[in-house]
Amino acid sequence: MNFYDLANPSFFLRLVTRVLPWLVAITLLLFAAGLYLAFTAPQDYQQGITVRIMFVHVPAAWLGMFCYGLMAIASIGSLVWRHPLADVSAKAAAPLGACFTFLALFTGAVWGQPMWGTWWVWDARLTSFLVLFIMYLGIIALWKTLDDPNKAARPIAILTLVGALNLPIIKFSVDLWNTLHQPASVFRMDGPTIHPALLVPLLVMALAFTFFFVVMHLMSMRNEIYRRRVRAMRMRAAAAPSARASLAETNKA
Amino acid sequence: MESLLTDLGRHSEYVIAAYVMTAVIIGVMVLAIRLDQKKQERDLKELEALGLRRRSQKKD
Amino acid sequence: MHWITALFLRDFKLAVRVGGGALIGVLFFLAVVTVFPFGVGPDLKLLARIGSAVLWIGALLSTLLGLDRLFQADRDDGTLDLYLLAGRPMELVVLVKCAAHWAATGLPLVLATPLFALFLNLEPIAIGAVTLTLVIGTPALTLIGAVGAGVTVSLRRGGVLLAILVVPLSIPVLIFGVSSATAVLSATASFTTPLLYLGAVTLFAGVVGPVSAAAALRYASD
């Protein structure tokens, strides 16, 4: 087995079928352990019960960013090597990233309300995540609008990479904007430093989310490969209707 | 379950909301991908039943 | 005539002549500025305070409105393929096209700004500041918009999607532009710091915009 075997879609499909059950089992175990640890962990003396939101908020935020990083790497793959599997990977990751980013925004809001008394602040971190969410939606909309997936991949890859350049600039500019507009910051967004008793469940949950993402991503990539095969076969059938008819005849015979 | 309930004190509704939304999002992701998979597999079977093959596919 | 001059003049003339639609942007700008006081109320003090931001948002929206014309016509009639066949560096072609587009759509916005600022009760120094930041900032909007225009060039009706794709990328320009423009009204905030960052973003966009847009256009043609 070498790199080129791995890059072959058929080989990739066989690999997915083989490893998927194991990954699903690991994900379920990690979620069970993570949830158990999350609800038996001691309460934070400052945050009380709401600290438990952190166990889903931080992993969701981590995957929201990780997923964009993955898309950026896949985009380089489809621009440099023009490999269809890189296109498939980038396309399959976008909706997943949007889901995790939405989840991070939602859990952040329900964490913020009891902690700081507001659902939303225009803080650098929250604002960058909102922008990240909009970028995911834009990329998904573009995938849906450009109908030929082979032609769509490279322009979208360029957009993804420009977005990756943009995110740190947004983070920086919103930080500056905040120092200009908020005379005295009411909120300390970093939160208290994490106690080790809370760190272990957090890490287990983060790992569970990551494995869940890998499972979803592989399944979604498989769907995308199937979708392209269906598309290619339909186009061949449309190009040669007589051949299709004769093939159907021979099949009957 | 009882110990869990007594454990949930002030602000528990926010924690429940966060976990419920997490469950919903995870559920939606799994369901959407499974449904998509079913659809693609059905389409592939249909096309193969018509006798269509991909260029790279071997005759069996 | 050098080909760069020729290209610039061609694009500029096409944009400002009948059917080019360059001046629609200024009208839209006027519409946005007019509509704002109806939303927030006719309080002149409030308008003076938020006027610079209103002008910036109006300029951003007007720029977004005209972006789909940046490459669309050239792709439809095959001119884009000719540029590629002629072996001209596509990055430079994009840069020149952006310059012509800005001269036809962005510059009128900047020129109209001092006039529209009067509606919003801006002080003279604030008028000067917002005009200066728009001179520096609107080229960045066009250059960043070129990426979106290049990516969506093969779409029939990509205008709205193009705007959605470009808005997240243009947030830093808006932040630095408005921060600088409103700083002149405040005793403590610095005017030059965000202005210099705005200049940096424009220069950065001057590199990233043409390079990515050119790459997208090359892929769109094959």
Side-chain angles (χ1 to χ4, degrees), chain C residues 112-209:
Chain C
T113 302
L115 181 64
F116 294 172
L118 297 175
F119 292 133
L120 298 168
N121 193 31
L122 250 62
E123 287 173 36
I125 183 154
I127 296 179
V130 76
T131 313
L132 177 66
T133 51
L134 279 173
V135 170
I136 300 174
T138 43
L141 295 178
T142 305
L143 290 161
I144 293 168
V147 182
V151 166
T152 56
V153 73
S154 57
L155 294 178
R156 271 304 94 207
R157 297 189 176 276
V160 180
L161 183 55
L162 166 59
I164 296 170
L165 297 177
V166 172
V167 160
L169 303 176
S170 57
I171 287 174
V173 182
L174 194 65
I175 287 179
F176 292 132
V178 176
S179 297
S180 182
T182 50
V184 291
L185 299 172
S186 137
T188 50
S190 161
F191 171 69
T192 41
T193 310
L195 190 71
L196 291 176
Y197 279 127
L198 181 66
V201 170
T202 305
L203 293 175
F204 187 64
V207 178
V208 174

Side-chain angles (χ1 to χ4, degrees), chain A residues 10 31 35 38-39 41 43 47 49-50 52-53 55-56 96 99-100 102-103 106-107 110 113-114 119 205 209 212 216-217 219-220 222-224 226-227 229-230 232-234 236-237 244 247-248 251, chain B residues 4 6-12 14-19 21-23 25-30 32-41 43-44 46-57 59:
Chain A
S10 300
F31 263 120
L35 284 172
F39 278 93
Q43 290 189 15
Q47 304 188 54
I49 176 85
T50 48
R52 310 221 187 282
I53 297 177
F55 300 133
V56 287
L96 302 176
C99 283
F100 283 118
F102 172 78
L103 191 59
F106 181 88
T107 52
V110 294
Q113 175 64 20
W119 300 104
M205 282 299 269
F209 268 74
F212 172 69
M216 289 291 102
H217 190 226
M219 286 176 74
S220 176
R222 180 169 65 184
N223 288 351
E224 185 57 30
Y226 284 159
R227 192 180 351 266
R229 288 190 173 170
V230 167
M233 286 159 85
R234 286 218 172 110
R236 269 156 52 82
R244 190 181 101 177
L247 268 172
N251 263 24
Chain B
L4 193 74
T6 49
D7 188 24
L8 298 172
R10 221 156 59 87
H11 300 320
S12 57
Y14 295 103
V15 180
I16 293 168
Y19 278 83
M21 184 51 99
T22 307
I25 294 280
I26 286 180
V28 165
M29 282 158 92
V30 173
I33 289 177
R34 287 293 294 174
L35 286 177
D36 189 25
Q37 187 185 349
K38 291 260 158 61
K39 182 182 178 299
Q40 300 310 326
E41 282 172 351
D43 284 1
L44 267 180
E46 244 169 49
L47 287 165
E48 272 164 10
L50 277 173
L52 285 166
R53 285 194 171 77
R54 285 175 300 115
R55 246 165 307 174
S56 55
Q57 207 171 354
K59 293 216 167 168

Side-chain angles (χ1 to χ4, degrees), chain C residues 6-87:
Chain C
L7 178 60
F8 180 88
L9 287 177
R10 169 191 177 271
D11 269 33
F12 183 75
K13 279 179 191 158
L14 279 175
V16 292
R17 277 185 187 161
V18 177
L23 296 173
I24 302 279
V26 184
L27 283 180
F28 185 73
F29 190 23
L30 177 62
V32 171
V33 169
T34 312
V35 117
F36 242 94
F38 292 116
V40 299
D43 178 4
L44 286 179
K45 277 206 194 89
L46 176 69
L47 286 177
R49 204 153 54 78
I50 64 168
S52 316
V54 172
L55 289 168
W56 253 98
I57 290 173
L60 171 68
L61 294 177
S62 312
T63 310
L64 290 177
L65 192 73
L67 279 176
D68 57 337
R69 280 189 290 273
L70 195 49
F71 304 120
Q72 195 80 65
D74 275 4
R75 182 186 154 84
D76 287 349
D77 62 13
T79 318
L80 215 53
D81 294 326
L82 288 180
Y83 292 144
L84 285 167
L85 284 175

Side-chain angles (χ1 to χ4, degrees), chain C residues 84-111:
Chain C
L84 285 167
L85 284 175
R88 307 292 187 208
M90 203 57 195
E91 288 78 8
L92 203 55
V93 171
V94 171
L95 191 63
V96 174
K97 285 185 76 68
C98 284
H101 186 83
W102 180 78
T105 61
L107 196 56
L109 297 181
V110 175
L111 295 178

